[in-house]
Amino acid sequence: MEKDILSIDETAEMLSMHPRTIRRYLKAGTLKGTKIGGEWRIQRSDLKTMLGSPEVIQELNTTWNNSVSDFIAGKQDIPLMGFRICTVIDCMFSGSEEAQEISSSLLRIVNQYKSEDGEARFQYSYDSQTGKARFILWGSPDYIIKMLQVLPESNS
């Protein structure tokens, strides 16, 4: 079950960002949040709104594309034994609901693997103007296979 209210750390982990980046979004008003007991809390719906912002999409895509480039260039650590895969999946959708549903299913798998393997990453963005969703996955072959099985055979 997904939590409706997230901490800065949970939000940062979900987006594979540093908590300072999330605080910067809160301070700039790009991301709405509420302080409860001196700690920021972010509603999932406000996070979804921020992720639909063209400026945020551009920033996230730049960050994530740099991560993919680092992977290709061998600048990221790999396990001593085994394999590590990075894959980029682009899908077109008629609306954000289906893309968000797939993203939520993928996130459940990530959370399961984070506790088991520790090396499972997932990033998601959706451009409401074009209907394009991008999913970037990093991890073991088993993890990538499980993630790919969530995707519909066709999203037409």
Side-chain angles (χ1 to χ4, degrees), residues 50-108:
M50 181 198 77
L51 291 174
S53 160
E55 300 82 26
V56 173
I57 290 170
Q58 181 59 43
E59 183 176 343
L60 291 174
N61 284 336
T62 299
T63 301
W64 297 342
N65 290 342
N66 289 342
S67 294
V68 172
S69 295
D70 287 349
F71 179 88
I72 291 169
K75 295 179 182 177
Q76 293 184 349
D77 293 334
I78 58 170
L80 294 175
M81 299 182 69
F83 298 92
R84 184 155 181 240
I85 298 171
C86 173
T87 188
V88 178
I89 303 159
D90 287 337
C91 304
M92 300 301 289
F93 295 99
S94 58
S96 64
E97 295 79 22
E98 185 180 6
Q100 183 58 45
E101 186 177 311
I102 291 171
S103 174
S104 295
S105 296
L106 292 171
L107 191 56
R108 281 191 285 281

Side-chain angles (χ1 to χ4, degrees), residues 3-95:
K3 290 173 57 176
D4 288 331
I5 299 176
L6 305 166
S7 69
I8 286 178
D9 289 338
E10 290 168 329
T11 303
E13 184 175 334
M14 182 185 302
L15 299 177
S16 295
M17 295 180 160
H18 196 281
R20 278 186 296 214
T21 303
I22 303 303
R23 284 187 188 87
R24 182 171 49 86
Y25 284 146
L26 288 163
K27 184 177 180 182
T30 306
L31 175 61
K32 291 182 183 177
T34 305
K35 277 200 172 184
I36 300 174
E39 297 289 327
W40 282 103
R41 296 294 180 240
I42 299 150
Q43 289 189 14
R44 189 173 291 276
S45 60
D46 290 332
L47 180 59
K48 289 177 186 177
T49 299
M50 181 198 77
L51 291 174
S53 160
E55 300 82 26
V56 173
I57 290 170
Q58 181 59 43
E59 183 176 343
L60 291 174
N61 284 336
T62 299
T63 301
W64 297 342
N65 290 342
N66 289 342
S67 294
V68 172
S69 295
D70 287 349
F71 179 88
I72 291 169
K75 295 179 182 177
Q76 293 184 349
D77 293 334
I78 58 170
L80 294 175
M81 299 182 69
F83 298 92
R84 184 155 181 240
I85 298 171
C86 173
T87 188
V88 178
I89 303 159
D90 287 337
C91 304
M92 300 301 289
F93 295 99
S94 58

